[in-house]
Amino acid sequence: MRYAVLGTGIVGRTIAAKLASLGNEIVIGTRDPAATLARTEPDAMGTPPFATWNAAHPTVELRSFAETATLGERVVNATAGTVTLEALNAAGSANLAGKVLIDIANPLDSSRGMPPPLNPVNTDSLGEQVQRAFPDARVVKTLNTMNCRLMVEPDRVSGTHNVFVSGEDTGAKKQVTEMLVSFGWPESSVIDLGGIETARGAEMLLPIWLRLYSTLGHTDFNFHIQGAG
Amino acid sequence: MRYAVLGTGIVGRTIAAKLASLGNEIVIGTRDPAATLARTEPDAMGTPPFATWNAAHPTVELRSFAETATLGERVVNATAGTVTLEALNAAGSANLAGKVLIDIANPLDSSRGMPPPLNPVNTDSLGEQVQRAFPDARVVKTLNTMNCRLMVEPDRVSGTHNVFVSGEDTGAKKQVTEMLVSFGWPESSVIDLGGIETARGAEMLLPIWLRLYSTLGHTDFNFHIQGAG
């Protein structure tokens, strides 16, 4: 399977590396590939420059958002939630049409102090915004409720814990579930919340997640719905 | 211990009955006791009239919000979140001052369609509103993240699962934790999220809770933070 991963930050790299390690072809997208490759210093969070990471993952090809979306058979949105719609517009509606679009982003607005509030929230969600803006894409919200290392290595947290999927397209959710199983998630740990509107609830887990991170001092924890069967 | 339980709906009754069964003295508060006692029909949700319940729990005394708050050494807010501030104003600031005020309500606004959105949300919470409005009360947000039967009977859900506490007053949180332990919660299942601002995250669990309720078809489930230690 050829995956387009939009976003070259730590989340995009982690997903891209995992998908590549499973034998998929990966194109990773950024607004300006030359600028992304030109960076030589770690960012403010200490993340190494993309070129350093790419040298260690040479099969992952860096392209523009539009070229990436064109090449991918499935698309993963791993951009920051606040720039997701802009990135997807650059990717191009026609290049997303008919494709499974896996939205793993959270609309955390860091410009409004810490911990960052969500925007949109409560009566809307990023997942819904994406589906409305790209009605021909088969949007599935998933994986946004945990740290990116855990997304692709669920055994980092022992015991049973859950990953949620939300979306209008049952076939798309089935394909995403198969991807999650390939990452190591037991199929019984995947909870289908329903349509894309249920992304609201999944995104609204972020505030308590951020507090728990602060309280626990690590990211190796996850939500488990005890009693879900 | 003498508890004031504000709110005569299913949540207030469930908490009052449990606290009474544990040997506490209980006063339960409503806006207009005569009107509450005069009802003879089940409400729209099928909840039996208060008088029927009170006949089965004769040690629980019904009073006005103000009398209830005056008599209680600890106060439980079990009113609907949309009327909580009004009920607490009726209870009276002076009658709440210095007391542990256990806020188990959720600000779900049912006037705005189903599932009900939260109001306030994201950059504020009901717990914070209560603490701001009653600065001399020792507010602890807890138990709002589950069905009321589970609040007082945690073994309804097997395995480990969690209850959260948020509040500014460490001593108040300790007293609330002791109350939770008396309900059957293992102390290790109580997660202290931090100050009252963390009530935002706890209240924002409601949207996914409501979806899970809809998906699972029952209320015997709860959040478990796997990996919290």
Side-chain angles (χ1 to χ4, degrees):
Chain A
M1 179 70 59
R2 196 161 57 240
Y3 278 91
V5 176
L6 305 179
T8 57
I10 188 72
V11 181
R13 294 180 199 180
T14 303
I15 291 284
K18 180 67 172 194
L19 286 167
S21 78
L22 293 168
N24 298 289
E25 266 183 82
I26 311 297
V27 191
I28 193 165
T30 190
R31 181 201 312 264
D32 180 345
T36 297
L37 285 171
R39 285 184 204 115
T40 56
E41 299 296 325
D43 70 11
M45 303 294 286
T47 307
F50 181 82
T52 306
W53 178 86
N54 207 7
H57 300 85
T59 64
V60 176
E61 202 180 335
L62 182 72
R63 299 276 197 126
S64 70
F65 284 133
E67 288 172 327
T68 301
T70 303
L71 291 165
E73 298 167 280
R74 288 182 188 163
V75 180
V76 178
N77 172 40
T79 62
T82 43
V83 299
T84 285
L85 289 173
E86 190 185 327
L88 291 173
N89 279 322
S93 191
N95 302 326
L96 300 169
K99 294 180 182 172
V100 174
L101 172 51
I102 306 164
D103 175 27
I104 66 175
N106 282 302
L108 293 168
D109 185 355
S110 304
S111 73
R112 293 168 69 195
M114 295 300 284
L118 290 162
N119 181 22
V121 69
N122 199 37
T123 53
D124 199 4
S125 62
L126 181 62
E128 289 165 275
Q129 285 188 333
V130 169
Q131 184 64 85
R132 281 199 305 272
F134 302 94
D136 296 330
R138 304 163 69 193
V139 178
V140 178
K141 186 93 202 185
T142 192
L143 285 172
N144 67 299
T145 57
M146 67 192 77
N147 178 265
C148 62
R149 291 186 301 176
L150 189 59
M151 293 178 186
V152 300
E153 196 185 340
D155 287 349
R156 295 182 70 87
V157 172
S158 59
T160 304
H161 49 100
N162 295 112
V163 56
F164 305 100
V165 292
S166 302
E168 299 301 321
D169 186 316
T170 304
K173 287 193 281 194
K174 186 164 180 290
Q175 291 179 43
V176 170
T177 299
E178 286 162 5
M179 183 194 78
L180 295 171
V181 168
S182 80
F183 287 0
W185 289 93
E187 194 167 342
S188 59
S189 295
V190 182
I191 296 183
D192 184 346
L193 293 172
I196 193 65
E197 192 216 305
T198 64
R200 293 179 198 177
E203 293 177 10
M204 287 169 83
L205 290 179
L206 263 288
I208 200 165
W209 189 94
L210 290 167
R211 282 301 177 180
L212 288 165
Y213 172 37
S214 167
T215 300
L216 301 173
H218 65 82
T219 59
D220 283 334
F221 66 90
N222 192 21
F223 298 98
H224 172 212
I225 307 303
Q226 192 71 273
Chain B
M1 179 70 61
R2 198 163 53 241
Y3 278 90
V5 176
L6 306 178
T8 55
I10 188 72
V11 181
R13 294 180 200 181
T14 303
I15 290 285
K18 180 67 172 194
L19 286 166
S21 78
L22 293 168
N24 298 288
E25 267 183 79
I26 311 298
V27 191
I28 192 164
T30 190
R31 180 202 310 264
D32 180 343
T36 297
L37 285 172
R39 283 184 205 114
T40 55
E41 298 297 322
D43 71 10
M45 303 293 286
T47 308
F50 181 81
T52 306
W53 178 86
N54 206 7
H57 299 86
T59 65
V60 176
E61 201 180 336
L62 181 71
R63 300 275 198 128
S64 70
F65 283 134
E67 288 173 326
T68 301
T70 303
L71 290 165
E73 298 168 280
R74 288 181 188 162
V75 180
V76 178
N77 172 40
T79 63
T82 42
V83 299
T84 284
L85 290 172
E86 189 184 328
L88 290 173
N89 280 322
S93 192
N95 302 326
L96 300 169
K99 294 179 184 172
V100 174
L101 173 51
I102 306 163
D103 176 27
I104 66 176
N106 281 302
L108 294 169
D109 185 354
S110 304
S111 73
R112 293 167 70 194
M114 296 299 286
L118 289 162
N119 180 22
V121 69
N122 199 36
T123 55
D124 198 3
S125 62
L126 180 62
E128 289 165 275
Q129 286 188 332
V130 170
Q131 184 64 85
R132 282 199 306 273
F134 302 93
D136 297 330
R138 304 162 71 194
V139 178
V140 178
K141 185 93 201 185
T142 192
L143 285 172
N144 67 299
T145 56
M146 66 192 77
N147 177 265
C148 61
R149 291 186 300 177
L150 189 59
M151 294 179 186
V152 300
E153 197 185 339
D155 287 349
R156 294 182 70 87
V157 172
S158 60
T160 303
H161 48 100
N162 295 112
V163 55
F164 305 101
V165 292
S166 303
E168 299 301 320
D169 186 315
T170 303
K173 286 192 281 193
K174 187 163 178 292
Q175 290 179 43
V176 170
T177 300
E178 285 161 6
M179 183 194 77
L180 295 171
V181 169
S182 80
F183 287 179
W185 290 93
E187 193 166 343
S188 59
S189 294
V190 182
I191 296 184
D192 185 346
L193 292 172
I196 193 66
E197 191 215 305
T198 63
R200 292 178 200 178
E203 293 177 10
M204 288 169 83
L205 290 179
L206 263 289
I208 199 167
W209 189 94
L210 290 168
R211 281 301 178 182
L212 288 165
Y213 171 37
S214 168
T215 300
L216 300 173
H218 65 82
T219 59
D220 283 334
F221 66 90
N222 192 21
F223 298 98
H224 171 213
I225 307 303
Q226 192 72 273

